[in-house]
Amino acid sequence: MINTDSNKQINMDNLAPDIRVQTFSEVATGYTPQQAKAEAMRCLNCKNAPCVQGCPVAVKIPEFIEAIKNDDNQKAREIIEQTNLLGDICGRVCPQERQCQSKCVRGIKGDSIAIGRLERFAFDVTAPNSTAPDSTADFTTPEPDAKGEHATNPQLNTKKVAIVGSGPAGLSCAATLAQAGIKVDVYEALHDFGGVLLYGIPNFRLPKNIVANFIDNLKSKGVRLYNNVVVGKTIKLSKIYTDYDATFIGAGAGLPRFQGIPGEQLSGVYSANEFLTRINLMHANRFPTFDTPVLIGDNVAIIGGGNVAMDAARCAIRSGAKHVTILYRRTEAEMPARAEEIEHAKEEGIEFKLLVNPLQIIGDDNGFVKSIELLKMQLGEPDSSGRRAPEPIPNSNFSLDVQTVVVAIGQTPNPLIRRQADHEQIPLNFNTKGCIVANEDDFETSIDNVYAGGDIVTGAATIILAMGAGRKAALSMIDKFKTHKQG
Ligand code: FAD
Ligand code: SF4
Ligand code: SF4
């Protein structure tokens, strides 16, 4: 039954925890049309729309919700697509509670509007493979260029753009260019396309058919996608940017960080990236049906407190681990993971050991993990991140018996492109964190007509920021192509 308390969000159904831990099927099943309409009716259609200020790409939130109120889901989708091509993905995995929903006036006295759920609904119900009556959409809406004009200039057809990386930054750049009739080639290092959307975020949070549909749609618009091409190894970066009218680098931040503690080289220790890639991309949880194995013991420890740590923990429990423990050095209040992911992980039986810091991973005589030594922590004064800093409690060491350890404490950009730029003496500027430096307004780098965006510029961030960067870079290129033509 749909609740009628206007201060409360309409609940979204989830698969029961005992069922979902046995499958990688999506946990949150989405709103029905009745639920979506009831939630949309809670929106006050505020004139100043503070929710829009909380969205990194300024989705026209009141307008799209109004369309859902009026049963025009196709229009709702088209309104979202004016600034966000990945509404079905962002509706599922954006940190909404810290972005758009945190600014919603409804949240002052009760629950904010469930903006993400409504965004997801508008896309799901109009998806090409949806069984809903108005399921006709793809991203064919003409895109406005940087000046707000529609990019329908036929001369753009002669332009060719190369994109390095097929994550949300690269894909949204490709889609926006293809809409304008520009020829696009995407080069991807892995054997399949989607970046973190494919190999990082598990199917139970983001069904892979959504990413596959987007890629099929790109192909149908004439975008050519090349897999197994590592730019900087298989092809030189300089070859790419001299062969094309413009280049967009969206190579992400795929290099895992480690703590540098003893024992990280033992068998059974994985970076979260490797662990998740083995399971999500190579289907290692179904070894030997698939070729790639993954070593998952009865007891698994995950180091970290972000979305990546939650994903690794929830993948481990679905892949045969009996007991999975999150080890985090602060408290739950400081955890960067989305509240919903923490709640889902707890419901699935993941244990949270807070205020602990790993000191060493201990191996057996054969070099396999057998335990992890931890030190208890307490919270001190706030650090540069604004969060209270963890401080060690002397002599509070203790050990946990574990056979697998997954390290999920962050990623940085892979240094490959930087090394190649150094080697070829390409004047591409990087900052001290190894990120490419790009203009904030047009995303152009220190090389003319070479643009960059997403995690390779910001460091590990969010999908919506990567999507926004790819799209805005494409609009800047279109604008520049037109200006040069006209000039
Ligand atoms: P990526 O998605 O990393 O894509 C980069 C692509 O470039 C990759 O496919 C890579 O193989 C390819 N590539 C790299 N180097 C080369 C090269 N030299 N040549 C060719 N191709 C190359 N964000 C959220 O908003 N919500 C979440 O819930 C969330 N959960 C996450 C969970 C996990 C496990 C991880 C790892 C990240 C998560 N994030 C989340 C962060 C988000 O996924 C990233 O911010 C986003 O994917 C960045 O997009 P991108 O296009 O810049 O890079
Ligand atoms: Fe909110 Fe993300 Fe949608 Fe923006 S893209 S409206 S932040 S869910
Ligand atoms: Fe609707 Fe909340 Fe935005 Fe107001 S602030 S328009 S109630 S979503």
Side-chain angles (χ1 to χ4, degrees), residues 1 30 94 98 114-115 129 146 168 188 201 203 206 210 212 214 247 258-259 271 279 360 381 401 407 418 420:
M1 218 179 69
C94 246
R98 288 188 206 147
I115 300 167
N129 58 355
E188 167 55 51
I201 303 180
N203 196 73
L206 177 60
I210 293 177
F214 195 90
T247 301
F258 282 90
Q259 278 186 293
S271 70
I279 293 173
Q360 62 169 327
E381 294 301 312
D401 284 346
V407 184
R418 184 183 190 164
Q420 159 87 175

Side-chain angles (χ1 to χ4, degrees), residues 51-52 54-61 64 80 84 86-87 90-96 99-101 115-117 119 464 467:
C51 49
V52 177
C55 170
V57 299
V59 166
K60 292 179 183 161
I61 296 166
F64 97 73
I80 299 165
N84 181 9
L86 305 178
C90 295
R92 285 172 166 82
V93 298
C94 246
Q96 296 115 9
Q99 299 187 156
C100 52
Q101 291 179 197
I115 300 167
R117 291 176 185 174
E119 189 169 336
I464 189 64
M467 192 294 306

Side-chain angles (χ1 to χ4, degrees), residues 107-426:
I108 298 169
K109 281 199 181 153
D111 290 348
S112 67
I113 301 296
I115 300 167
R117 291 176 185 174
L118 291 175
E119 189 169 336
R120 162 189 174 166
F121 168 79
F123 269 61
D124 285 357
V125 81
T126 56
N129 58 355
S130 166
T131 49
D134 53 357
S135 56
T136 52
D138 60 13
F139 45 79
T140 50
T141 326
E143 276 289 314
D145 63 17
K147 288 185 184 141
E149 296 162 351
H150 284 291
T152 48
N153 185 339
Q155 288 155 328
L156 292 172
N157 294 344
T158 59
K159 298 294 180 191
K160 275 194 324 180
V161 175
I163 293 181
V164 181
S166 68
L171 291 181
S172 54
C173 187
T176 309
L177 293 166
Q179 280 172 329
I182 294 170
K183 292 191 181 60
V184 183
D185 289 345
V186 178
Y187 295 99
E188 167 55 51
L190 294 175
H191 69 262
D192 211 347
F193 307 101
V196 171
L197 306 179
L198 187 75
Y199 74 77
I201 303 180
N203 196 73
F204 53 80
R205 276 213 298 139
L206 177 60
K208 298 307 159 211
N209 64 316
I210 293 177
V211 184
N213 285 347
F214 195 90
I215 307 251
D216 286 348
N217 210 345
L218 276 183
K219 288 181 182 162
S220 74
K221 301 276 175 304
V223 173
R224 296 187 298 189
L225 293 111
Y226 298 93
N227 60 356
N228 299 319
V229 181
V230 184
V231 173
K233 270 204 161 147
T234 325
I235 322 184
K236 286 183 175 176
L237 180 59
S238 57
K239 162 108 181 102
I240 292 212
Y241 78 72
T242 47
D243 280 359
Y244 288 85
D245 296 295
T247 301
F248 176 78
I249 306 176
L255 186 73
R257 275 205 201 110
F258 282 90
Q259 278 186 293
I261 57 173
E264 284 178 338
Q265 79 296 344
L266 290 165
S267 298
V269 180
Y270 295 96
S271 70
N273 254 29
E274 180 183 347
F275 187 74
L276 289 168
T277 304
R278 280 176 185 259
I279 293 173
N280 293 326
L281 190 67
M282 314 305 286
H283 311 292
N285 54 313
R286 289 164 66 194
F287 177 82
T289 308
F290 288 83
D291 291 340
T292 303
V294 62
L295 217 157
I296 299 183
D298 284 351
N299 298 317
V300 175
I302 314 285
I303 304 173
N307 286 323
V308 182
M310 299 306 137
D311 284 345
R314 298 174 70 199
C315 277
I317 206 84
R318 284 164 172 76
S319 304
K322 295 209 171 96
H323 192 233
V324 180
T325 312
I326 295 265
L327 306 173
Y328 183 56
R329 62 197 186 122
R330 306 183 202 235
T331 70
E332 193 174 316
E334 289 83 28
M335 274 194 166
R338 292 185 61 209
E340 186 178 282
E341 307 314 329
I342 296 173
E343 193 187 313
H344 283 168
K346 285 184 181 167
E347 287 169 0
E348 290 166 14
I350 312 290
E351 190 186 341
F352 284 61
K353 268 202 193 309
L354 305 171
L355 289 167
V356 293
N357 197 28
L359 292 180
Q360 62 169 327
I361 304 164
I362 298 153
D364 65 15
D365 294 342
N366 298 316
F368 286 85
V369 174
K370 70 169 187 185
S371 63
I372 184 162
E373 186 187 350
L374 304 161
L375 185 66
K376 291 186 183 165
M377 310 293 277
Q378 59 192 359
L379 288 186
E381 294 301 312
D383 62 13
S384 57
S385 73
R387 296 176 300 171
R388 290 178 65 196
E391 292 170 355
I393 302 176
N395 304 320
S396 62
N397 311 36
F398 68 104
S399 292
L400 281 184
D401 284 346
V402 292
Q403 297 79 43
T404 308
V405 175
V406 181
V407 184
I409 58 168
Q411 302 96 239
T412 54
N414 190 308
L416 186 77
I417 290 183
R418 184 183 190 164
R419 284 199 199 121
Q420 159 87 175
D422 286 348
H423 179 69
E424 287 193 75
Q425 299 189 322
I426 295 171

Side-chain angles (χ1 to χ4, degrees), residues 43-46 49-51 61-62 65 103-106 113 115:
C43 173
L44 304 172
N45 198 358
C46 309
C51 49
I61 296 166
I65 294 182
K103 307 270 186 209
C104 173
V105 294
R106 269 290 196 188
I113 301 296
I115 300 167

